[in-house]
Amino acid sequence: MPDATTTTMAPAVRPPALARLGGAVRWDTAVGVLLLTLLVCSFSFVDNFGNALNLSFLIGNTLPIALIALPMTLLVVSGEVDLSVGSTAGLSGAVMGALWNAGMTIEAIIPLCLLLGVVCGLINGLLVTRLGLPSLAVTIGTMAAYRGIAQIVLGSDSVTDFPTQYLDFGSGRIGDTFVPYAAVPFTVLLAVAVVVLHATPTGRSLFATGAGEEAARFSGIRVKRLKLSMFVTTGLISALTGVFWALHYASARYDNATGLELSVIAAVLLGGIDFDGGKGTLGGAVAGVLLLGTLQNVMSLTNVSAQSQIVVTGVLLVISVLAPRVGRQVSEARARRRTRAAVVPPSPRTS
Amino acid sequence: MKHPEPETTPVLELEGVSKSFGAVRALRGVSLRLYAGEAHALAGENGAGKSTLIKVLAGVHRPDTGTVLLDGEPVGFHGPADARDAGVAVIYQEPTLFPDLSVAENIFVGRQPRRSFGRVDHRAVRRATAELFERLGVDLDPDRPARGLSIADQQLVEIAKALSFDARVLIMDEPTAALTGSEVARLFGVVRTLRSQGAAVLFISHRLEEIFALCRRVTTLRDGALISSEPLEGLSEDDLVRRMVGRDLDDLYPKQRTEIGEVALGVRRLTREGVFTDVSFEVRRGEIVGLAGLVGAGRSELARAVFGVDRFDGGEVEVLGRRLRTGAPSAAMAAGLALVPEDRRAQGLVMDMSIERNIGLTGFAATTRAGLMNRAAERDRAVDWAVRLQVKYARLAHVVGTLSGGNQQKVVLAKWLATSPQVLIVDEPTRGIDVGTKAEVHRLLSSLAAQGVAVLMISSDLPEILGMADRVLVMHEGRLTAEIPGSEATEEAVMAAATGRADRGRTAA
Amino acid sequence: MTVTADPVRQQPAPPPDASRRLVDRVFKARELAVALVLVLILGATQLSNTEFLSEQGVKDLLLNATILVLVATGQAVVVITRNVDLSVGSVLGISAFAAGIHLRDGGSPLVAVLLAVGLGALFGVLNGALVSLGKVPALVVTLGTLYIVRGIDSIWVGSRQITADALPAGFVDFGHDGIWVLPYLALLATAVLAGVAYYLRSYHSGRDLYALGSSPEAARLAGIPVRARIMTAYVLCGALAGLAGALYLARFGNVDSATGNGYELTVVSAVVVGGVAFTGGSGTVYGAALGALLLTSINSVLPAIGVSSVWVTAINGFLLLLAIAADRILALRVAAALRKKAARTRSARHA
Amino acid sequence: SGTTKDSANKAAGPAAATGKADPNKAIKKGLTVAFLPKQVNNPYFTTSDGGGKKALEQLGSTYKEVGTSSGTDTSGQVSYVNTLTQQQVDAIAVSAQDPGALCTALKQAMKNGVSVVTYDSDTQTGCRQAFVSQASAEDLGRTQIQLLAKQIGGKGEIAILSAAQTATNQNTWIDFMKDELKKPEYKDIKLVKTAYGDDDAQKSFQQTQGLLQEHPGLKGIVSPTTVGIKAAAQYLSGSKYRGKVKLTGLGTPNDMRAYVKNGTVEAFELWDPAKLGALAAHTAVALESGRITGAEGETFTAGDLGSFTIGKDGVVLLGKPTVFDKANIDQFKF
Ligand SMILES: Nc1ncnc2c1ncn2[C@@H]1O[C@H](COP(=O)(O)OP(=O)(O)OP(=O)(O)O)[C@@H](O)[C@H]1O
Ligand SMILES: Nc1ncnc2c1ncn2[C@@H]1O[C@H](COP(=O)(O)OP(=O)(O)OP(=O)(O)O)[C@@H](O)[C@H]1O
Ligand SMILES: [Mg+2]
Ligand SMILES: [Mg+2]
């Protein structure tokens, strides 16, 4: 048997704590810190930000993005993407409106809408996994198709007369607190998603699939089934978001949630989720969503124009990818300089 | 006759080079001289720093300290392009082809022959490729895309690429790991010609006999440090091993006597159209069955179909009496089957994941409690096998892609052995593994067999097959052409069957 | 010893002429599928409405496709390098406005076009620098620049707009006149397309783009100047978006701050439909151009056969799905046929 | 803005909305009135909000404008209403992207003492105190048909090119157009199709092409949206149909000048958007000052615009639209 030194690494120069920290600070943590800083600053310096009503507005408006960001994160981690989420939400809202107009009870309509979301997700998933089409292409197609069906279903109608207790649930908040009712189920879903992604074999499989699909298949992971289930989940949550949207804004129209996919993707990207798959955390994604939402709220309160807000969003996105990169290069360069100083070449033993 | 270092200036030289990756010091003050017309071997265990040294020479890595000298002048290679322009051709350990480009374009990318106005001469590219393949005896269509080539074919394309440079320095990092004897022989023939034309050659291999067959001088590394640099003449294989691992080597093929039991893996009339046809064989408990054949014979494809990663069109597979569905690796695993695939980077490992999690991928059943991951259990399982296979790592949480090639291979083995399989298929299990650990892997396979595991071993290393197998199956162009009992298996017999010159009478039923 | 075994691959396979031709055809088939769908759709429309392929009809079809073809060509080049440029819509908008301002102030049309191209190329440099220097995901960076450029555009443009009466008559006429049924704009686009295609096929740097997209790591090791090539692709893409902006101005005679909004998705669809893979390294600009032609033709076909615009979105989506699915199924079929053929030749050799 | 209000003042808002109006109350100064158009940077809204700004300056109050950069970002508009409520502006003049979606937020705003006026595009009646209408929907619908009928000589096929299928204004106008067409004098005119260009230049462009291909006999097109008419005019002026197929609808003189001059378009109409904005500003200030509550029959003066009476459902009507043609178009610069 070889001696112990061959099994473990030969004792090496330990990098100073700071350098190790530099490597360890991941972007999602940084987004979290950024979010906290922003919140603290806003509470102290921005008029009208800290009151319960504004916070409930903020959360209520961010919820649709946050909701869809949950399954989207899982999907992106597995290496796929779904651009049809906004349309699925729109379709679900449109169907909800049409069925309500047709006289069905809301208790019967909502499950049907969710089922519809499952079907939408299933179509995406089957096209991707069975035909082997790229998800980007498929969901660009279904994005148009679902939106189109919504338009056919509801036409130019705008349905607003849903039962008040549902509308109140959609837009109201718990007592005088800043917590909208809808935040409660969201928190539950968030917890479920965090556990699934970060503490179950399913989550591990998602990461493996995203980072190396072939290797995952060779490890006995049922890659296709996994991806299919992720598409279905995304469809389901999108439909749920569509229902929430219609209730929150008390309006079911075929063009509800148009462009939502871009907001979701921007937020998720900001949270450090890698679109090549296999990297990212849910914490980062949710921090990204909240950061964008809060920033928008604060900028509106401080009378920053819509145009400037767009620029700020863009700059933030660019920084979000450049900053960790630049940070790593700086710390690497520093480490290199240090080792160069430390190394003393041993004299070669020649026989 | 001794070969003292020539008096002339070395073509390419390393002087006191060090290189660290974070906490890992891959090279520590290493020097190396390459002379025109001389083949130089680089030896060392897995993770000794050989590939890193080569990447420094090739301009991929910049050394932390030390210098690279070309014709005695210090040069600062800022990238692979600089090294290439200086006449250094490199075959890297892992093939780096462009899957979407044709084989011919792969070889000439960035330096295609041109026509007027700087336009690429596609026809000349194709012609030159065909000539190169002719020289190497490779049977590949220059127009086919590189995607889907077997590892061996990829390696051959890499070799053709390196040769096409007519370089002054030819550097080869384990070019032969996936090749069978005949291809190796061809390659050596070409390299010898180049050498005699004045090229300097640096050669890495874990097959010591190849080092002795090709090289005149050897440099040995251990843990990133230079151990020796000396002429090969007068050195024995054992001497070399001692320098590499710092101790004497045990028997390379430690075959244990085992009790051969019931049939564990039964494959009947398995066919995948266009790949392999009508393959039937059995592997019994306690038995090691070797599967030999030339590159492209379809051995790996057969293994993949048996395991369920690929679908088969006809026939059946039975593991311990349980019939397997086609295309369901999870079912195969549940039945007790494991497959160590041949391409560790694409199939064996998720390169961006940690060592721990890679090993953990096959063991969710054992490492979950109430549906949740039990990290401690996952860690224990990984540590256990990483240590048993002598994986050289700094921390289990490190990304597996930063390990040396051989150590990556060990992680793949660990990942599958940790599932305690009843039937184990290993495809090129020791590709890129150093001699010391190779013996260890062999001992492990042998003891698994002794415990009643059925082992199917695919290998292009014929001595390995002959040394380990109780029975040898031979494939040729997608068909099983011979089944030879271990005692009768000789290199000649196997090669005859592998090249289709087999005595049909002995073909398996 | 292993090294002494005799040579094996005895006789080189028969010259693979037949199989090569088949392989060639498969590669072409990717574009063929789109072309076929296009011809079918146009033919069917002509049958139901004889006015459709009238002189004016054909002219309109070509004119409609021009702008998208140009942008899709540029996008395809970027996508081939395994990157993406989402900012094309914004760049198109801002360069169109720049050209418009120049013309409104009495500038010459040629200078205006060059100005637009130059501005586009400038943003290409920005994108290229961010993507290649930082080695960061192109999706995030260009989503960022999409927002940034759009923000800058709307701050700069404000509520101003360029209307047809501000433009020289010759420039506006250039936007719709032509030689017989061939509009000048379409001729220009075709020339650009052919030029780019020839560059990609026949020049080192063009081939490098494919190599780069196929495997960035291998490209680095092969000594391909990765950064320079990525920069080339982005500059080309930006310049073409700028050119498209100038042509947009000529064609529509009207530019405001909303011009080009959301165009990125159309462009990406065209590229995807045209068979340029988002994983890089494969596809041609001809394919992308065909994709663009198909998309714009669908938008002309539906109104021409009297489909209510309520249905347009849905049908658009379905046709998109159909096109990519047909392409994929065809490819699978051909691959299977090839495999069977290989099996037959092999067993023939074996016998 | 610098305007802060004491809570007593704030409480007066809802009271005024429900209580009695006193037309003789003093006009309050130093109010902050926020304009929330469907889309910022839209030339039409910039002109109308500019009118509002001028009026507010004359009234001694502060103007501000916020809004989304997309015309269909309903959720964005909702959050702007919320933000304005948070900022405790005195009044909001909003052009609603969706009649229903803004309701909750606007009611919330009114509850917090903000006066709400809609202009250009209304919400449901309960969600605002007054709607400043550019012209009666009936007038707009009928006059466009009358204009076109005159241009095509009272017979032939016509089509409508509208904005989005959900556009509230356009849909109301189209209903009145159809009603107008039922009159006997239009018996030779046949409406063959309504197409939707979604207020997108390219889409409107292609829809126009489609209309002409599908109905080669088409004599005229009505496009009751500024984006649509502009795109249709651009297509017609560059095609063989220029001058042969008549086009009318709602457009701004600046947009249409080139096409009127080159003979593509004979005449079209529109109200003066600046006046619309100014009236919205006056209405908002009158509401906040307690001069009106939004009840039917109340009368107020709006500076040099004259005196207005609130109609049914709190609608304030600006007046009749102006028809623009070759003779008068150069007198208008908006
Ligand atoms: N990119 C990298 N990042 C971190 N560590 C690295 C990296 N590349 C190599 N190493 C480490 O450097 C050491 C030397 O690796 P190297 O690949 O040179 O070994 P080798 O001698 O080629 O081994 P093998 O025979 O297995 O190919 C190993 O410990 C390896 O883990
Ligand atoms: N005649 C052929 N034409 C095209 N591709 C072929 C041909 N023969 C084999 N291949 C390719 O070669 C590979 C089959 O070889 P496989 O890897 O199964 O062989 P093997 O016997 O395991 O050899 P090794 O692993 O040593 O390369 C497949 O990727 C297959 O697509
Ligand atoms: Mg190595
Ligand atoms: Mg193999």
Side-chain angles (χ1 to χ4, degrees):
Chain A
M1 278 301 290
D3 54 10
T5 48
T6 43
T7 19
T8 55
M9 200 54 227
V13 219
R14 291 221 154 253
L18 197 71
R20 258 182 300 146
L21 203 70
V25 171
R26 295 186 319 221
W27 176 247
D28 47 1
T29 331
V31 174
V33 172
L34 215 61
L35 174 64
L36 280 181
T37 319
L38 178 67
L39 284 176
V40 169
C41 290
S42 309
F43 272 111
S44 352
F45 303 119
V46 178
D47 285 345
N48 303 319
F49 177 81
N51 64 57
L53 187 62
N54 183 58
L55 290 179
S56 76
F57 286 155
L58 163 61
I59 298 173
N61 289 339
T62 316
L63 263 181
I65 298 176
L67 263 171
I68 296 186
L70 299 181
M72 185 71 98
T73 303
L74 269 62
L75 194 63
V76 170
V77 162
S78 80
E80 303 290 342
V81 68
D82 185 350
L83 294 181
S84 72
V85 286
S87 297
T88 307
L91 178 57
S92 136
V95 167
M96 181 169 154
L99 293 181
W100 177 253
N101 276 351
M104 279 177 73
T105 63
I106 193 111
E107 289 77 14
I109 292 174
I110 291 179
L112 280 178
C113 286
L114 299 186
L115 188 69
L116 182 72
V118 168
V119 173
C120 288
L122 203 63
I123 293 173
N124 287 333
L126 287 176
L127 283 171
V128 170
T129 58
R130 295 298 138 190
L131 272 186
L133 294 169
S135 56
L136 192 74
V138 165
T139 55
I140 283 180
T142 51
M143 174 166 81
Y146 296 161
R147 182 68 68 190
I149 298 174
Q151 194 174 359
I152 295 167
V153 167
L154 198 57
S156 58
D157 276 1
S158 164
V159 182
T160 55
D161 54 347
F162 296 111
T164 29
Q165 69 269 32
Y166 281 86
L167 293 179
D168 287 347
F169 175 82
S171 58
R173 52 188 168 130
I174 303 173
D176 266 345
T177 65
F178 65 89
V179 187
Y181 291 116
V184 176
F186 169 75
T187 315
V188 175
L189 285 176
L190 173 64
V192 171
V194 168
V195 168
V196 167
L197 184 62
H198 295 298
T200 64
T202 310
R204 288 289 153 82
S205 306
L206 285 171
F207 278 108
T209 305
E213 179 164 347
E214 200 180 355
R217 218 154 42 86
F218 271 84
S219 306
I221 293 170
R222 302 166 115 174
V223 171
K224 286 186 176 175
R225 178 186 290 211
L226 191 66
K227 286 188 171 177
L228 187 64
S229 66
M230 280 307 125
F231 275 107
V232 169
T233 313
T234 309
L236 174 68
I237 301 286
S238 302
L240 183 68
T241 307
V243 170
F244 169 68
W245 185 291
L247 294 177
H248 183 70
Y249 295 115
S251 162
R253 301 203 317 182
Y254 83 83
D255 61 355
N256 272 3
T258 301
L260 192 65
E261 58 281 342
L262 215 57
S263 310
V264 173
I265 284 172
V268 166
L269 286 174
L270 183 61
I273 313 294
D274 188 340
F275 261 67
D276 289 340
K279 284 201 197 76
T281 61
L282 256 172
V286 172
V289 172
L290 290 180
L291 183 63
L292 276 188
T294 311
L295 205 61
Q296 243 151 40
N297 181 278
V298 168
M299 287 193 291
S300 297
L301 281 176
T302 50
N303 295 326
V304 176
S305 74
Q307 299 95 299
S308 311
Q309 292 191 17
I310 296 177
V311 177
V312 171
T313 310
V315 170
L316 203 66
L317 270 172
V318 172
I319 290 178
S320 82
V321 286
L322 279 186
R325 179 82 207 166
V326 171
R328 211 176 317 137
Q329 269 168 355
V330 167
S331 80
E332 264 169 26
R334 211 186 294 148
R336 209 173 15 242
R337 236 178 297 128
R338 205 173 300 112
T339 40
R340 205 166 289 184
V343 165
V344 185
S347 55
R349 281 180 288 146
T350 319
S351 59
Chain B
M1 189 191 99
K2 279 266 180 188
H3 294 282
E5 294 214 348
E7 297 293 304
T8 52
T9 341
V11 186
L12 195 59
E13 184 177 357
L14 284 184
E15 190 58 59
V17 164
S18 301
K19 175 78 193 169
S20 302
F21 299 101
V24 180
R25 292 177 61 188
L27 290 178
R28 322 176 188 198
V30 175
S31 302
L32 178 80
R33 292 184 185 80
L34 298 180
Y35 294 95
E38 190 178 82
H40 194 123
L42 192 57
E45 290 185 280
N46 293 134
K50 305 181 294 295
S51 300
T52 309
L53 183 144
I54 275 180
K55 287 183 180 160
V56 170
L57 280 176
V60 176
H61 291 324
R62 262 205 270 167
D64 295 337
T65 61
T67 40
V68 182
L69 297 100
L70 187 72
D71 295 321
E73 297 293 320
V75 284
F77 289 150
H78 288 287
D82 290 350
R84 186 189 68 192
D85 295 343
V88 180
V90 186
I91 301 172
Y92 297 97
Q93 184 169 10
E94 309 294 346
T96 50
L97 297 182
F98 304 103
D100 300 290
L101 300 193
S102 73
V103 166
E105 270 207 277
N106 261 289
I107 291 175
F108 285 98
V109 74
R111 49 197 186 86
Q112 298 96 330
R114 302 186 197 197
R115 293 187 292 158
S116 52
F117 305 112
R119 292 170 301 161
V120 171
D121 188 345
H122 290 287
R123 203 171 306 160
V125 168
R126 208 174 298 132
R127 206 175 328 112
T129 305
E131 277 165 20
L132 273 171
F133 283 168
E134 185 84 17
R135 221 166 119 201
L136 277 170
V138 174
D139 172 25
L140 274 177
D141 178 3
D143 274 338
R144 67 158 289 170
R147 190 185 299 286
L149 286 180
S150 71
I151 288 285
D153 284 337
Q154 290 181 37
Q155 200 61 269
L156 288 170
V157 175
E158 286 287 350
I159 291 171
K161 176 155 68 175
L163 295 182
S164 73
F165 281 104
D166 288 322
R168 302 174 59 205
V169 183
L170 176 61
I171 300 179
M172 301 185 286
D173 193 352
E174 301 196 26
T176 56
L179 302 188
T180 48
S182 44
E183 284 114 356
V184 174
R186 283 270 193 160
L187 172 65
F188 281 13
V190 176
V191 172
R192 286 197 188 99
T193 317
L194 286 178
R195 194 187 56 191
S196 64
Q197 288 165 358
V201 176
L202 181 62
F203 178 73
I204 297 181
S205 175
H206 288 295
R207 297 182 187 163
L208 301 185
E209 72 273 12
E210 292 178 357
I211 292 186
F212 283 94
L214 188 69
C215 302
R216 185 192 295 180
R217 187 169 284 284
V218 61
T219 295
T220 314
L221 299 178
R222 195 193 306 156
D223 279 339
L226 180 68
I227 298 300
S228 70
S229 189
E230 61 205 317
L232 265 166
E233 205 174 60
L235 232 55
S236 68
E237 289 200 7
D238 288 343
D239 294 335
L240 197 51
V241 168
R242 212 170 304 117
R243 282 178 181 54
M244 284 163 61
V245 297
R247 63 187 163 88
D248 283 319
L249 190 63
D250 317 308
D251 184 7
L252 191 52
Y253 304 114
K255 187 89 185 86
Q256 280 175 286
R257 282 238 60 81
T258 56
E259 198 67 21
I260 309 272
E262 66 195 292
V263 172
L265 172 66
V267 173
R268 274 180 290 282
R269 313 215 55 171
L270 208 63
T271 298
R272 179 170 158 84
E273 276 182 62
V275 183
F276 54 83
T277 314
D278 196 10
V279 175
S280 307
F281 64 90
E282 285 172 350
V283 184
R284 293 169 175 276
R285 280 185 173 282
E287 197 181 25
I288 299 183
V289 174
L291 181 55
L294 298 178
V295 165
R299 296 165 298 166
S300 300
E301 305 250 339
L302 175 65
R304 284 161 48 170
V306 168
F307 185 63
V309 179
D310 290 345
R311 296 183 162 272
F312 46 83
D313 301 319
E316 56 185 69
V317 177
E318 250 179 37
V319 173
L320 298 169
R322 247 209 271 178
R323 186 155 169 202
L324 296 186
R325 269 184 296 135
T326 174
S330 50
M333 282 168 73
L337 191 63
L339 167 68
V340 174
E342 72 174 334
D343 182 352
R344 57 175 171 253
R345 288 170 67 85
Q347 304 165 344
L349 298 171
V350 180
M351 298 307 282
D352 282 342
M353 271 170 92
S354 70
I355 304 169
E356 188 181 8
R357 294 209 170 169
N358 262 294
I359 298 178
L361 277 183
T362 52
F364 293 140
T367 54
T368 48
R369 204 180 298 143
L372 298 184
M373 296 300 302
N374 178 349
R375 294 206 180 180
E378 191 182 16
R379 199 179 169 75
D380 290 347
R381 185 170 174 272
V383 170
D384 182 19
W385 281 95
V387 170
R388 276 167 82 171
L389 288 167
Q390 303 165 26
V391 180
K392 188 174 158 185
Y393 61 90
R395 285 177 52 197
L396 275 183
H398 280 172
V399 168
V400 80
T402 61
L403 290 181
S404 80
N407 281 303
Q408 289 174 11
Q409 184 69 28
K410 291 183 207 167
V411 175
V412 184
L413 279 169
K415 169 180 162 183
W416 284 107
L417 293 183
T419 61
S420 327
Q422 296 301 304
V423 178
L424 176 64
I425 307 179
V426 285
D427 194 353
E428 311 285 2
T430 56
R431 187 164 72 85
I433 287 193
D434 65 47
V435 271
T437 319
K438 204 184 239 177
E440 208 52 46
V441 170
H442 290 155
R443 197 182 338 276
L444 204 77
L445 290 177
S446 209
S447 70
L448 283 174
Q451 290 159 27
V453 175
V455 180
L456 178 66
M457 181 167 84
I458 302 173
S459 175
S460 297
D461 191 357
L462 204 44
E464 180 174 72
I465 295 244
L466 298 179
M468 294 299 297
D470 296 303
R471 202 148 45 90
V472 181
L473 304 172
V474 188
M475 276 183 88
H476 170 63
E477 295 195 336
R479 285 167 195 271
L480 218 50
T481 49
E483 176 170 350
I484 311 170
S487 51
E488 295 172 30
T490 62
E491 203 153 311
E492 290 71 35
V494 173
M495 285 318 288
T499 51
R501 289 181 276 117
D503 165 9
R504 292 286 152 150
R506 271 210 305 227
T507 301
Chain C
M1 234 172 66
T2 354
V3 290
T4 54
D6 40 3
V8 238
R9 297 226 166 160
Q10 331 80 323
Q11 85 280 14
D17 270 346
S19 78
R20 178 180 305 163
R21 251 180 284 124
L22 191 59
V23 169
D24 274 0
R25 247 181 287 148
V26 180
F27 283 134
K28 298 234 169 67
R30 293 193 64 84
E31 280 89 48
L32 210 66
V34 184
L36 213 71
V37 174
L38 184 64
V39 168
L40 278 180
I41 289 181
L42 295 185
T45 312
Q46 173 66 10
L47 285 185
S48 83
N49 178 352
T50 49
E51 194 68 5
F52 184 65
L53 291 180
S54 65
E55 192 177 321
Q56 179 75 40
V58 173
K59 208 167 143 182
D60 287 343
L61 270 182
L62 293 175
L63 271 176
N64 290 342
T66 305
I67 289 157
L68 189 57
V69 164
L70 280 178
V71 186
T73 302
Q75 185 72 260
V77 174
V78 172
V79 171
I80 282 170
T81 66
R82 200 185 276 197
N83 285 295
V84 66
D85 185 354
L86 292 180
S87 70
V88 284
S90 308
V91 170
L92 184 149
I94 202 166
S95 354
F97 195 78
I101 287 281
H102 181 77
L103 287 172
R104 192 196 61 187
D105 298 343
S108 90
L110 187 65
V111 176
V113 172
L114 291 180
L115 189 72
V117 172
L119 192 63
L122 205 67
F123 284 114
V125 171
L126 175 72
N127 281 323
L130 288 174
V131 171
S132 65
L133 295 185
K135 283 197 205 132
V136 293
L139 195 74
V140 196
V141 169
T142 58
L143 186 62
T145 49
L146 175 157
Y147 286 129
I148 294 174
V149 177
R150 184 183 296 168
I152 293 175
D153 186 31
S154 48
I155 290 171
W156 177 46
V157 176
S159 64
R160 291 183 293 166
Q161 56 175 343
I162 304 291
T163 50
D165 64 333
L167 303 173
F171 187 69
V172 177
D173 289 342
F174 177 73
H176 50 68
D177 286 351
I179 304 164
W180 185 53
V181 295
L182 300 173
Y184 296 128
L185 294 193
L187 291 175
L188 185 63
T190 314
V192 169
L193 173 68
V196 174
Y198 193 74
Y199 162 76
L200 283 182
R201 223 186 76 75
S202 296
Y203 284 88
H204 275 191
S205 48
R207 300 311 304 165
D208 284 357
L209 296 181
Y210 278 94
L212 187 60
S214 195
S215 167
E217 177 59 20
R220 203 172 62 87
L221 291 179
I224 290 174
V226 174
R227 287 179 180 175
R229 296 293 181 257
I230 289 183
M231 186 58 97
T232 311
Y234 272 101
V235 171
L236 189 65
C237 181
L240 288 182
L243 178 62
L247 301 193
Y248 183 101
L249 183 68
R251 171 80 174 125
F252 294 103
N254 191 288
V255 173
D256 57 27
S257 66
T259 300
N261 272 10
Y263 205 52
E264 56 282 344
L265 222 53
T266 318
V267 175
V268 168
S269 311
V271 168
V272 164
V273 169
V276 183
F278 259 74
T279 44
S282 70
T284 65
V285 286
Y286 288 124
L290 271 175
L293 194 58
L294 180 66
L295 285 193
T296 48
S297 299
I298 291 173
N299 275 331
S300 299
V301 160
L302 296 182
I305 54 175
V307 173
S308 154
S309 39
V310 176
W311 291 79
V312 167
T313 321
I315 293 178
N316 239 324
F318 284 119
L319 284 178
L320 224 150
L321 287 175
L322 198 74
I324 50 178
D327 179 47
R328 174 72 186 166
I329 290 167
L330 199 78
L332 287 180
R333 279 276 162 84
V334 174
L338 269 185
R339 204 162 60 117
K340 293 238 168 75
K341 186 168 169 283
R344 248 178 284 128
T345 44
R346 199 191 287 198
S347 54
R349 239 196 297 167
H350 189 82
Chain D
S1 66
T3 341
T4 43
K5 301 194 301 180
D6 53 307
S7 51
N9 195 346
K10 193 85 229 167
T18 49
K20 269 182 79 90
D22 177 1
N24 299 320
K25 266 195 179 159
I27 289 180
K28 283 192 190 157
K29 290 192 187 293
L31 301 175
T32 303
V33 179
F35 274 71
L36 177 53
K38 273 189 190 169
Q39 184 181 23
V40 291
N41 275 349
N42 176 318
Y44 167 80
F45 281 109
T46 305
T47 314
S48 76
D49 293 3
K53 182 178 182 198
K54 217 151 137 202
L56 285 172
E57 276 163 6
Q58 285 165 3
L59 290 168
S61 286
T62 314
Y63 159 90
K64 79 183 257 181
E65 186 197 33
V66 293
T68 60
S69 48
S70 147
T72 52
D73 180 8
T74 313
S75 63
Q77 216 180 17
V78 169
S79 56
Y80 271 111
V81 173
N82 290 340
T83 305
L84 292 173
T85 312
Q86 277 304 308
Q87 294 176 328
Q88 300 171 12
V89 297
D90 298 284
I92 301 176
V94 54
S95 173
Q97 289 178 3
D98 178 300
L102 289 175
C103 272
T104 322
L106 288 178
K107 281 180 182 160
Q108 178 85 254
M110 289 192 284
K111 214 167 83 192
N112 280 276
V114 181
S115 301
V116 175
V117 177
T118 52
Y119 70 105
D120 178 77
S121 189
D122 199 8
T123 58
Q124 289 160 16
T125 35
C127 316
R128 43 76 181 163
Q129 284 151 292
F131 169 50
V132 178
S133 173
Q134 45 271 61
S136 89
E138 178 157 6
D139 270 357
L140 281 173
R142 295 192 193 283
T143 49
Q144 289 178 57
I145 290 296
Q146 288 155 12
L147 270 178
L148 187 65
K150 205 160 73 196
Q151 293 174 11
I152 62 173
K155 85 169 160 252
E157 295 180 340
I158 63 165
I160 297 172
L161 174 67
S162 181
Q165 204 196 350
T166 45
T168 333
N169 289 347
Q170 272 77 9
N171 288 342
T172 333
W173 299 331
I174 291 172
D175 285 343
F176 281 110
M177 290 184 198
K178 288 181 178 159
D179 193 59
E180 177 77 7
L181 283 170
K182 291 197 185 110
K183 290 187 182 163
E185 63 254 50
Y186 305 120
K187 64 178 191 317
D188 290 333
I189 297 183
K190 189 164 158 249
L191 175 64
V192 289
K193 183 161 179 184
T194 304
Y196 299 93
D198 289 345
D199 266 358
D200 173 277
Q202 293 199 40
K203 215 163 180 181
S204 307
F205 210 82
Q206 291 193 327
Q207 287 295 334
T208 314
Q209 291 173 2
L211 284 176
L212 292 164
Q213 281 176 350
E214 190 190 355
H215 304 284
L218 205 65
K219 282 280 178 301
I221 298 174
V222 190
S223 184
T225 153
T226 52
V227 179
I229 193 173
K230 196 161 62 182
Q234 171 72 8
Y235 175 69
L236 290 179
S237 87
S239 75
K240 65 177 183 185
Y241 305 106
R242 182 205 293 190
K244 300 192 184 98
V245 176
K246 303 294 179 187
L247 173 67
T248 191
L250 304 178
T252 70
N254 279 353
D255 284 353
M256 302 303 291
R257 193 161 293 131
Y259 310 116
V260 169
K261 293 196 168 162
N262 76 12
T264 310
V265 175
E266 269 178 34
F268 61 96
E269 61 181 12
L270 197 69
W271 53 92
D272 185 340
K275 285 187 182 162
L276 181 67
L279 182 56
H282 281 289
T283 314
V285 171
L287 274 171
E288 189 62 22
S289 308
R291 294 181 136 203
I292 52 172
T293 61
E296 188 172 351
E298 292 172 348
T299 305
F300 66 105
T301 47
D304 40 12
L305 293 177
S307 164
F308 291 86
T309 307
I310 299 179
K312 191 167 161 283
D313 288 336
V315 176
V316 183
L317 211 59
L318 179 64
K320 289 217 179 291
T322 315
V323 175
F324 307 97
D325 56 23
K326 224 175 196 147
N328 71 356
I329 193 162
D330 280 334
Q331 299 160 24
F332 298 91
K333 301 280 181 228
F334 65 89

